[in-house]
C-alpha cells in the first residue's frame, strides 16, 4: 500500500514527538479503502501516549478490523504544538493508518473515560472540520458516536454527539454497521438512520429525547419523541467473556506510552461494593475468563508484540479465583522469555505478597495500599473492606520480604467526614513507619530506611454510585482539609519518612460539575472551548478562571451540580439509563452508609442490586 504522510518533513521535525502522528506501528492495520464499505476513526480525546494505553480501544480496533467490510483507524488529540500547526497551516486532522482526513470517514467514535477531556472532543471535531453540533451535520460528516464510562451520564455533551453507545462495545456494533450499509444503499436520510439505531438496546440518540425542568432547576421529565424507541436505555454487556473478541495483536507504539506492555484482562466487574466507586457498579456482575483461555491469549500476545512485560487487568485481581494457577503458568513461561509480570489491583494480604515475591525482581518496587480513609469509621461508611490491622499486617509481611517503599492512597471530602477522619491519615502513615522499625532490625536495613508517600485526592460523587446523592465539598473546603492532613502528618513522630501529595482542588470541582451535570452544560463546554480551554486534564493547561467566567456568562450556577443536597426521589439527568443496578439498591446503600454500616461483598451475600437480571457471573455462583 502507498504510504504518504499527511505532514511534510519540515513540520514533523519541528514538533515534539512526531511519532505520535505518523502511524505504521507494529500490528497497525492497513486495508485498501476501496475494498471496504465502512471506515471508522476511533478516537481517544487525549494525547497519543494516554490513548494508546487504553485497552478498550485496542479491543474494538482489533474487532472492527476483523470484519472484512470495515477498516478502523486511530486518531488522538494533537498536542498543543501540533494543534497550533494544524490551525495555522489549515491542515485537517487525519487518522494515523491512512493519513486521510477524519472528515472523510463514515464514523468517528470517541471513548469517553474522563470528564475533563470534554473540550478535547470539540478540538477533534473542530480540527477535523466536522460541525461541532450534531444538529448541523449532514451525510457529508461522519456519524459521531461516544462510548465508555462517561456515557453513563452523557447529558453535558449531548449536543455534540449523534449516538451514545451504553455498555460494553463488543455486542452491538455489527448491527449498527449493517443498518448503516443498508441506509446508504437505500438512500435513507441521516435522521432515519439514527432513528433505526435508536431502536437497538444500549443505543441512546439524545436528539430524540425531550428534557423538561422544574422551577428549582431539577428535572421534571425525560421522554422519547418517538413511540418506537425505548423510554429507558439498558446497558449492553458481554455475557460470556471467553467467546468475546480479545486482541492478541495489539498495536505496538514507537515511543514509550503510559502502559507500555501486554495487557491481559482477566475478568470484568467487582464483588467489593465500595460506595464511591463507579466502575464497581457499572461493570457488575463480576464475570471471569477461563484460565486456559487466558494462558493462550497471554502466549499469543507476547509472541506478537515482543513486549517484555505483561500486566493483569481487572478492578480487583486478588478476587480472580484462578489467580494462583495463572500466575504459576506465567512465571514458568515468562521466566523462560525474560518477561516481567505486573500485578496491579491486588489486595495486600499474605497471598498477594507471596505472589508478588514470586514475580518481582530482587529490586522491590513500591507497595501500594488504598485505605481511602483515615479511620475505620470512615472506611465503614464507604464500604472499603480494609482494616488498619490488614494494612499493618500486610506491611509487616512486606517489610520481612524486603520492601521498604509504601504508597498510601486516601480521599478527602467523603460524606460524613470529620476532623478525626482527616487526622487519621497521618496516624496510619506513622503506624506503617513504626511497623517497619519494629519489623526490620537496624543491622538488617543495609543503610536503607522506610519511605512512605501518602497521597490524597478529592472525592467527586459519580452517577450510579450510592454517593450520587452526596453533596460535594467546595474548593475552599478541600484545600482546608488538605492543609489539616499536611499538619497532621507533620505532627507525627516519623514525619521525616512521610511525603504528602494532594490533588488539584480546581480540577476536582470542575470534574464534579461535569460528572453530575445536565444538558444546560453543553453551552458552557462549547463556550469554554471557544475561549481556549483544551487539555483540561493537564494541570498546566487547565483554565479554571475561564470556566468560572463562562458559567457566569451562561447564567449557569456550577454549585447546583456539586454542593447542594439532593432529595431521595429527585430525577437525575442519568436516570434515562439503566446500568443493571437499580436506583432503589443505590438509595439503600446510601442510607446504610449514612448509618455508618458496612455491606457484604457479592461472594458472601447477594444484596439484590439488580445485576442478576443479566443471568451470568458471580450472581449465579455459590457463596463463600
Amino acid at each position: 500500500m502507498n504510504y504518504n504522510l499527511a505532514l511534510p518533513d519540515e513540520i514533523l521535525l519541528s514538533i515534539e514527538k512526531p511519532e505520535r502522528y505518523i502511524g505504521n506501528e507494529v500490528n497497525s492495520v492497513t486495508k485498501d479503502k476501496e475494498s471496504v464499505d465502512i471506515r471508522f476513526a476511533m478516537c481517544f480525546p487525549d494525547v497519543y501516549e494516554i490513548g494508546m494505553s487504553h485497552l478498550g480501544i485496542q479491543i474494538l480496533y482489533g474487532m472492527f478490523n476483523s470484519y472484512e467490510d470495515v477498516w478502523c483507524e486511530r486518531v488522538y488529540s494533537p498536542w498543543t504544538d501540533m494543534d497550533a500547526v494544524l490551525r495555522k497551516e489549515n491542515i485537517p486532522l487525519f487518522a494515523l493508518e491512512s493519513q486521510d482526513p477524519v472528515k472523510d470517514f463514515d464514523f468517528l467514535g470517541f471513548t469517553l473515560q474522563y470528564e475533563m477531556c470534554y473540550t478535547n472532543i470539540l478540538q477533534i471535531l473542530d480540527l477535523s472540520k466536522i460541525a461541532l453540533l450534531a444538529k448541523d451535520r449532514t451525510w457529508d460528516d461522519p456519524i459521531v458516536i461516544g462510548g465508555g464510562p462517561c456515557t453513563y451520564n452523557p447529558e453535558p455533551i449531548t449536543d455534540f454527539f449523534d449516538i451514545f453507545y451504553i455498555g460494553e462495545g463488543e455486542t452491538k456494533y455489527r448491527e449498527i454497521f449493517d443498518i448503516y450499509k443498508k441506509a446508504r444503499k437505500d438512500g435513507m436520510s441521516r435522521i432515519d438512520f439514527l432513528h433505526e439505531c435508536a431502536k437497538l438496546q444500549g443505543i441512546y440518540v439524545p436528539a430524540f429525547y425531550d428534557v423538561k425542568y422544574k422551577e428549582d432547576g431539577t428535572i421534571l421529565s425525560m421522554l422519547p419523541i418517538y413511540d418506537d424507541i425505548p423510554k429507558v436505555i439498558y446497558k449492553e454487556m458481554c455475557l460470556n467473556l471467553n467467546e468475546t473478541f480479545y486482541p492478541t495483536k495489539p498495536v505496538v507504539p514507537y515511543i514509550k506510552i503510559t502502559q507500555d506492555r501486554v495487557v491481559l484482562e482477566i475478568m470484568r466487574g467487582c464483588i467489593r461494593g465500595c460506595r464511591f466507586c463507579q466502575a464497581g457498579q457499572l461493570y457488575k456482575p463480576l464475570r471471569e475468563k477461563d484460565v486456559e483461555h487466558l494462558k493462550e491469549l497471554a502466549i499469543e500476545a507476547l509472541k506478537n508484540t515482543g513486549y517484555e512485560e505483561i500486566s493483569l487487568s481487572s478492578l480487583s485481581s486478588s478476587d480472580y479465583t484462578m489467580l494462583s494457577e495463572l500466575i504459576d503458568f506465567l512465571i514458568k513461561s515468562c521466566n523462560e522469555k525474560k518477561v516481567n509480570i505486573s500485578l496491579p489491583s491486588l489486595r495486600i494480604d499474605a497471598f498477594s505478597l507471596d505472589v508478588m515475591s514470586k514475580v518481582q525482581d530482587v529490586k522491590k518496587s513500591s507497595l501500594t495500599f488504598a485505605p481511602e480513609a483515615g479511620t475505620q469509621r470512615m472506611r465503614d461508611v464507604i464500604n472499603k473492606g480494609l482494616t488498619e490491622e490488614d494494612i499493618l499486617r500486610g506491611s509487616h509481611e512486606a517489610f520481612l520480604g524486603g520492601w521498604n517503599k509504601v504508597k498510601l492512597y486516601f480521599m478527602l471530602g467523603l460524606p460524613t467526614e470529620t476532623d478525626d477522619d482527616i487526622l487519621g491519615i497521618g496516624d496510619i502513615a506513622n503506624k506503617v513507619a513504626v511497623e517497619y522499625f519494629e519489623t526490620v532490625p537496624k543491622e538488617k536495613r543495609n543503610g536503607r530506611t522506610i519511605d512512605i508517600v501518602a497521597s490524597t485526592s478529592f472525592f467527586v460523587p459519580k452517577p450510579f454510585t450510592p454517593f450520587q446523592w452526596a453533596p460535594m465539598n467546595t474548593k475552599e473546603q478541600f484545600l482546608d482539609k488538605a492543609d489539616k492532613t499536611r499538619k497532621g502528618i507533620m505532627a507525627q513522630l516519623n514525619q521525616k519518612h512521610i511525603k504528602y501529595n494532594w490533588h488539584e482542588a480546581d480540577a476536582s470541582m470542575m470534574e464534579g460539575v461535569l460528572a453530575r451535570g445536565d444538558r444546560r452544560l453543553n453551552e458552557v463546554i462549547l463556550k469554554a472551548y471557544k475561549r481556549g480551554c483544551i487539555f483540561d486534564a493537564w494541570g498546566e493547561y487547565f483554565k479554571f478562571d475561564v470556566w468560572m467566567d463562562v458559567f457566569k456568562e451562561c447564567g449557569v450556577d456550577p454549585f447546583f451540580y456539586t454542593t447542594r443536597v439532593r432529595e431521595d426521589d429527585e430525577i437525575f439527568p442519568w436516570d434515562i439509563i439503566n446500568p443493571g443496578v437499580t436506583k432503589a439498591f443505590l438509595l439503600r446503600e446510601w442510607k446504610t452508609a449514612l448509618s455508618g454500616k458496612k455491606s457484604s461483598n457479592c461472594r458472601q451475600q447477594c444484596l439484590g442490586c439488580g445485576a442478576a437480571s443479566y443471568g451470568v457471573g458471580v450472581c449465579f455462583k455459590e457463596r463463600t
Side-chain angles (χ1 to χ4, degrees), residues 27-44:
N27 294 334
S28 63
V29 177
T30 53
K31 295 188 180 185
D32 176 2
K33 57 189 172 195
E34 304 304 324
S35 70
V36 297
D37 299 318
I38 290 171
R39 297 187 68 189
F40 195 111
M42 180 71 75
C43 177
F44 194 101

Short mmCIF file of all heavy atoms in Angstrom, two decimals, residues 27-44:
data_model
loop_
_atom_site.label_atom_id
_atom_site.label_comp_id
_atom_site.label_asym_id
_atom_site.label_seq_id
_atom_site.Cartn_x
_atom_site.Cartn_y
_atom_site.Cartn_z
N ASN A 27 1.79 -4.04 14.10
CA ASN A 27 0.42 -4.56 14.27
C ASN A 27 -0.68 -3.55 13.93
O ASN A 27 -1.86 -3.85 14.12
CB ASN A 27 0.18 -5.11 15.69
CG ASN A 27 1.01 -6.34 15.99
OD1 ASN A 27 1.39 -7.06 15.08
ND2 ASN A 27 1.31 -6.57 17.26
N SER A 28 -0.33 -2.34 13.47
CA SER A 28 -1.39 -1.45 12.99
C SER A 28 -1.93 -2.04 11.68
O SER A 28 -1.21 -2.74 10.96
CB SER A 28 -0.89 -0.03 12.80
OG SER A 28 0.12 0.02 11.82
N VAL A 29 -3.19 -1.77 11.39
CA VAL A 29 -3.86 -2.44 10.27
C VAL A 29 -4.06 -1.48 9.11
O VAL A 29 -4.61 -0.39 9.28
CB VAL A 29 -5.23 -2.99 10.72
CG1 VAL A 29 -5.97 -3.63 9.54
CG2 VAL A 29 -5.06 -3.99 11.86
N THR A 30 -3.60 -1.88 7.95
CA THR A 30 -3.91 -1.11 6.75
C THR A 30 -4.73 -1.98 5.80
O THR A 30 -4.51 -3.19 5.70
CB THR A 30 -2.63 -0.63 6.03
OG1 THR A 30 -1.79 -1.76 5.80
CG2 THR A 30 -1.87 0.39 6.87
N LYS A 31 -5.70 -1.34 5.15
CA LYS A 31 -6.54 -2.04 4.17
C LYS A 31 -6.67 -1.16 2.93
O LYS A 31 -6.39 0.04 2.98
CB LYS A 31 -7.94 -2.31 4.77
CG LYS A 31 -7.95 -3.26 5.95
CD LYS A 31 -9.39 -3.63 6.35
CE LYS A 31 -9.43 -4.58 7.53
NZ LYS A 31 -10.81 -5.04 7.85
N ASP A 32 -7.10 -1.76 1.85
CA ASP A 32 -7.41 -0.99 0.65
C ASP A 32 -8.76 -0.32 0.87
O ASP A 32 -9.78 -0.99 1.02
CB ASP A 32 -7.46 -1.94 -0.55
CG ASP A 32 -7.88 -1.22 -1.83
OD1 ASP A 32 -8.08 0.01 -1.78
OD2 ASP A 32 -8.03 -1.90 -2.86
N LYS A 33 -8.75 1.01 0.91
CA LYS A 33 -10.01 1.70 1.27
C LYS A 33 -11.12 1.48 0.25
O LYS A 33 -12.30 1.64 0.56
CB LYS A 33 -9.76 3.18 1.52
CG LYS A 33 -9.15 3.96 0.41
CD LYS A 33 -8.77 5.35 0.92
CE LYS A 33 -7.96 6.13 -0.10
NZ LYS A 33 -7.31 7.29 0.49
N GLU A 34 -10.74 1.10 -0.97
CA GLU A 34 -11.77 0.84 -1.98
C GLU A 34 -12.47 -0.49 -1.73
O GLU A 34 -13.55 -0.74 -2.25
CB GLU A 34 -11.14 0.82 -3.39
CG GLU A 34 -10.37 2.08 -3.77
CD GLU A 34 -11.22 3.35 -3.67
OE1 GLU A 34 -12.43 3.27 -3.98
OE2 GLU A 34 -10.69 4.40 -3.26
N SER A 35 -11.85 -1.36 -0.91
CA SER A 35 -12.42 -2.70 -0.72
C SER A 35 -13.31 -2.80 0.52
O SER A 35 -13.85 -3.86 0.81
CB SER A 35 -11.28 -3.73 -0.61
OG SER A 35 -10.60 -3.56 0.62
N VAL A 36 -13.43 -1.71 1.27
CA VAL A 36 -14.28 -1.75 2.47
C VAL A 36 -15.50 -0.86 2.29
O VAL A 36 -15.49 0.08 1.50
CB VAL A 36 -13.49 -1.32 3.74
CG1 VAL A 36 -12.35 -2.28 4.02
CG2 VAL A 36 -12.98 0.12 3.63
N ASP A 37 -16.55 -1.18 3.04
CA ASP A 37 -17.79 -0.39 2.96
C ASP A 37 -17.85 0.70 4.03
O ASP A 37 -18.54 1.69 3.87
CB ASP A 37 -19.01 -1.31 3.15
CG ASP A 37 -19.09 -2.39 2.08
OD1 ASP A 37 -18.84 -2.05 0.91
OD2 ASP A 37 -19.36 -3.55 2.42
N ILE A 38 -17.14 0.45 5.14
CA ILE A 38 -17.23 1.37 6.28
C ILE A 38 -15.84 1.72 6.77
O ILE A 38 -15.00 0.84 6.98
CB ILE A 38 -18.05 0.74 7.44
CG1 ILE A 38 -19.53 0.66 7.04
CG2 ILE A 38 -17.89 1.53 8.74
CD1 ILE A 38 -20.38 -0.12 8.00
N ARG A 39 -15.63 3.02 6.96
CA ARG A 39 -14.37 3.48 7.55
C ARG A 39 -14.69 4.11 8.90
O ARG A 39 -15.55 5.00 9.00
CB ARG A 39 -13.66 4.47 6.63
CG ARG A 39 -13.28 3.82 5.31
CD ARG A 39 -12.43 4.74 4.47
NE ARG A 39 -11.11 4.95 5.08
CZ ARG A 39 -10.24 5.85 4.64
NH1 ARG A 39 -10.54 6.65 3.62
NH2 ARG A 39 -9.06 5.98 5.22
N PHE A 40 -14.00 3.65 9.91
CA PHE A 40 -14.29 4.06 11.30
C PHE A 40 -13.02 4.68 11.90
O PHE A 40 -11.98 4.02 11.95
CB PHE A 40 -14.71 2.83 12.11
CG PHE A 40 -15.36 3.14 13.43
CD1 PHE A 40 -16.71 2.90 13.63
CD2 PHE A 40 -14.62 3.67 14.49
CE1 PHE A 40 -17.32 3.18 14.85
CE2 PHE A 40 -15.22 3.96 15.70
CZ PHE A 40 -16.58 3.72 15.89
N ALA A 41 -13.11 5.92 12.34
CA ALA A 41 -11.99 6.57 13.04
C ALA A 41 -12.24 6.46 14.54
O ALA A 41 -13.24 6.97 15.05
CB ALA A 41 -11.89 8.04 12.63
N MET A 42 -11.36 5.75 15.21
CA MET A 42 -11.51 5.51 16.66
C MET A 42 -10.65 6.52 17.41
O MET A 42 -9.44 6.55 17.23
CB MET A 42 -11.07 4.08 16.99
CG MET A 42 -11.18 3.72 18.45
SD MET A 42 -12.88 3.55 18.97
CE MET A 42 -13.31 1.97 18.25
N CYS A 43 -11.29 7.33 18.25
CA CYS A 43 -10.57 8.44 18.87
C CYS A 43 -10.53 8.35 20.40
O CYS A 43 -11.54 8.08 21.04
CB CYS A 43 -11.24 9.76 18.48
SG CYS A 43 -10.47 11.18 19.27
N PHE A 44 -9.36 8.61 20.95
CA PHE A 44 -9.21 8.86 22.38
C PHE A 44 -8.88 10.34 22.52
O PHE A 44 -7.84 10.79 22.02
CB PHE A 44 -8.08 8.00 22.97
CG PHE A 44 -8.09 7.95 24.47
CD1 PHE A 44 -8.61 6.85 25.14
CD2 PHE A 44 -7.61 9.01 25.24
CE1 PHE A 44 -8.63 6.79 26.53
CE2 PHE A 44 -7.63 8.97 26.62
CZ PHE A 44 -8.14 7.86 27.28
#
